[in-house]
Amino acid sequence: MDKFVIRGGNPLVGTIRVSGAKNSALPCMAAAILTEDVVTLSNIPRVRDIETERKLLQSMGAEVGLREGEAQDRTTICCRTLSDPVAKYEIVKTMRASSLVLGPLVARVGMARVAMPGGCAIGGRPIDLHIRGLEKMGATITQEHGYLEARADRLHGAHIVFDKITVTGTEDLLMAAVLADGETLMENCAREPEVTDLTALLKAMGAKIQGAGTSTIRVQGVSKLHGAEYRINPDRIEAGTFLIAGAITAGDLIVANCNTSHLRAVIAKLLQAGARVEVLGPDAVRVRSDGKLRAVDITTEEYPGFPTDMQAQYMALATQAQGECRVTENIFENRFMHVQELVRMGANIKVDGNTATVRGPAQLSAAAVMCSDLRASASLVLAALVADGESVLDRVYHMDRGYERIEEKLCGVGAQIQRLGNLFAPREPES
Ligand code: EPU
């Protein structure tokens, strides 16, 4: 398994470019199931979860590829033949977003078998709301041997009110609704930019959708969708991680190729914490810091609130801020796995239920630490960038699930990071 060796102490200076959003690319790839035609996606990040989704679609009979001579961030998907509409456990266990194929498969071929995802490091992650919504749309769902089987000759429109805001749940049911018979009204939907990204692709494929980006989405089902070309939006979490990297290292960093309108909550907190942040335009933002940061509380919320996917990275920053702050995690029940590792590096953090109290600034000292999930890994990279000495981060495959060549990008602006091992090791690790 790959490791990172990181020598801390360098301010990050220069321009760093953001890749396409993993969490947009995943549902957009699943959306290709909805048509017999070719869907071409660009700005696809080269990360492990995308490789996993490629394998998942291929295992169902889809043709997924990079066209000869085309840019590496472009992929074509043709789901004319879906001979095996099954998401196997071997794939689902490494990537919970595999449940995103449930809705589109039932809508397109009338049946889906998807392994139940089970829990993961950050929480239980049930998919009961996906199931309940599909049942309302007329699917019959059975569960056996760890698999969910959903069947429907043709789904029909329904009125769905989500008990809880769910990002992939909204995306899954949206993809089911676009080919359903009649109108679907979905309330209490996720308003994340990734839902809006998926909607833009679905509309380009001929779907009739209103209200994406708000909590009420209305869909008029159509009988068929066609192929389309679509460019995935930049990754707001990668961009946010880089903004924190600039601030925590007392650097001067331009984060380019991002969508600054998706970064408002993170930018607002950085400004309160004393970083200088300047939006240079719709796709670039500059962050500077003199290293004197103030402790500021955060509470994770659904978009447009402060994202749970930035909580761990923010906590690394908080260890370097003057004073005491509270970090409250409202979305997942167990998303503080990075805390113990940060404490091992010298941070002063106490957890009580879903709130962590961070006292700073702490002089972090390099240590051997373990990555437990994607964003926890990012938090440890950030901490290691300011720690005294050389840290060794184990299990960086978690990082590779969602950050494209992060060590190359960070080294390009002055970080000292070495990878030990291969980027895509032959063995499939569990998440
Ligand atoms: N939930 C249910 N029932 C459901 C679905 C969700 O109770 O049927 C609960 C979850 O347990 C959680 C809350 O609702 O407590 C929100 O979960 P959500 O469904 O929104 O999460 P998700 O769709 O599984 C996506 C991202 C996550 C991100 C969350 C929250 C993808 C592929 N994943 O997950 O990204 O943290 O939304 O914004 O889009 C990451 O990239 O590191 C990551 C974990």
Side-chain angles (χ1 to χ4, degrees):
M1 275 182 221
D2 289 10
K3 292 181 174 41
F4 279 165
V5 181
I6 303 180
R7 173 173 280 278
N10 291 9
L12 300 190
V13 177
T15 299
I16 192 161
R17 286 177 68 80
V18 175
S19 300
K22 163 187 84 87
N23 288 349
S24 285
L26 291 171
C28 286
M29 290 173 79
I33 291 174
L34 293 164
T35 175
E36 293 185 354
D37 299 343
V38 175
V39 171
T40 304
L41 300 172
S42 58
N43 208 27
I44 293 267
R46 297 202 65 213
V47 298
R48 188 187 287 273
D49 274 6
I50 297 296
E51 289 305 315
T52 306
E53 178 122 346
R54 278 204 181 107
K55 279 188 211 152
L56 175 65
L57 292 171
Q58 279 167 336
S59 74
M60 295 176 181
E63 285 172 33
V64 189
L66 299 166
R67 279 191 190 145
E68 196 108 341
E70 276 184 338
Q72 288 285 293
D73 69 352
R74 213 170 143 87
T75 191
T76 55
I77 307 171
C78 180
C79 294
R80 183 161 300 126
T81 316
L82 289 169
S83 47
D84 195 15
V86 180
K88 297 186 182 69
Y89 180 65
E90 290 62 41
I91 295 182
V92 175
K93 74 178 180 189
T94 67
M95 188 186 69
R96 268 139 200 96
S98 308
S99 49
L100 275 171
V101 299
L102 190 57
L105 279 177
V106 191
R108 164 84 192 287
V109 296
M111 106 93 161
R113 277 194 85 218
V114 175
M116 296 287 290
C120 77
I122 63 175
R125 309 195 71 178
I127 55 164
D128 55 311
L129 302 175
H130 303 225
I131 297 172
R132 227 177 292 158
L134 284 173
E135 282 177 337
K136 274 207 122 178
M137 296 170 85
T140 307
I141 302 200
T142 51
Q143 241 185 77
E144 222 178 26
H145 308 302
Y147 278 78
L148 264 181
E149 192 167 300
R151 285 181 184 274
D153 287 340
R154 175 136 195 232
L155 294 170
H156 55 72
H159 182 189
I160 295 162
V161 183
F162 289 101
D163 283 352
K164 199 170 179 177
I165 297 175
T166 157
V167 178
T168 51
T170 302
E171 293 163 350
D172 202 14
L173 297 186
L174 181 58
M175 288 188 276
V178 291
L179 284 184
D181 194 15
E183 179 176 287
T184 300
L185 176 64
M186 303 200 294
E187 294 186 84
N188 202 26
C189 295
R191 293 180 288 162
E192 267 64 5
E194 293 74 28
V195 176
T196 317
D197 229 1
L198 169 67
T199 304
L201 168 64
L202 292 171
K203 282 183 164 178
M205 293 167 70
K208 297 206 167 81
I209 305 167
Q210 284 175 326
T214 75
S215 53
T216 303
I217 301 181
R218 204 178 278 275
V219 183
Q220 301 293 336
V222 295
S223 56
K224 215 172 161 84
L225 293 179
H226 51 74
E229 283 204 31
Y230 187 69
R231 184 174 171 81
I232 304 290
N233 251 294
D235 196 310
R236 65 193 168 99
I237 305 301
E238 188 193 16
T241 304
F242 293 155
L243 286 177
I244 289 190
I248 200 174
T249 61
D252 182 353
L253 205 56
I254 293 176
V255 178
N257 203 32
C258 61
N259 185 333
T260 52
S261 67
H262 295 161
L263 296 169
R264 289 195 185 110
V266 173
I267 290 176
K269 283 296 164 186
L270 282 170
L271 286 169
Q272 281 179 42
R276 288 168 67 195
V277 187
E278 210 182 326
V279 174
L280 303 176
D283 62 356
V285 53
R286 180 177 184 184
V287 62
R288 278 175 284 178
S289 161
D290 57 8
K292 294 192 185 78
L293 297 165
R294 291 186 289 274
V296 178
D297 293 348
I298 62 149
T299 298
T300 64
E301 283 163 21
E302 292 88 0
Y303 190 83
F306 192 94
T308 173
D309 289 346
M310 285 298 300
Q311 178 257 106
Q313 300 89 316
Y314 183 83
M315 199 169 322
L317 183 86
T319 68
Q320 300 307 296
Q322 180 72 46
E324 181 178 299
C325 68
R326 286 151 61 88
V327 173
T328 305
E329 173 56 55
N330 277 331
I331 308 295
F332 290 109
E333 64 270 25
N334 190 29
R335 210 170 195 183
F336 282 146
M337 303 281 281
H338 43 285
V339 169
Q340 280 318 310
E341 300 302 285
L342 291 173
V343 167
R344 293 185 56 247
M345 296 175 79
N348 183 346
I349 309 172
K350 299 264 178 317
V351 174
D352 182 11
N354 70 339
T355 299
T357 303
V358 188
R359 284 193 188 87
Q363 172 58 58
L364 300 182
S365 64
V369 287
M370 190 79 84
C371 302
S372 54
D373 74 75
L374 174 56
R375 309 304 171 187
S377 322
S379 143
L380 297 180
V381 167
L382 293 167
L385 288 175
V386 290
D388 184 20
E390 281 183 11
S391 297
V392 180
L393 273 63
D394 204 352
R395 303 198 175 172
V396 296
Y397 61 79
H398 285 296
M399 194 89 199
D400 295 333
R401 287 187 49 206
Y403 287 90
E404 180 174 311
R405 296 177 287 107
I406 189 157
E407 73 280 23
E408 283 176 33
K409 290 191 184 188
L410 291 175
C411 287
V413 289
Q416 283 185 282
I417 308 181
Q418 282 228 347
R419 177 186 287 267
L420 307 178
N422 297 312
L423 183 54
F424 292 115
R427 258 188 52 221
E428 273 294 329
E430 289 186 27
S431 61

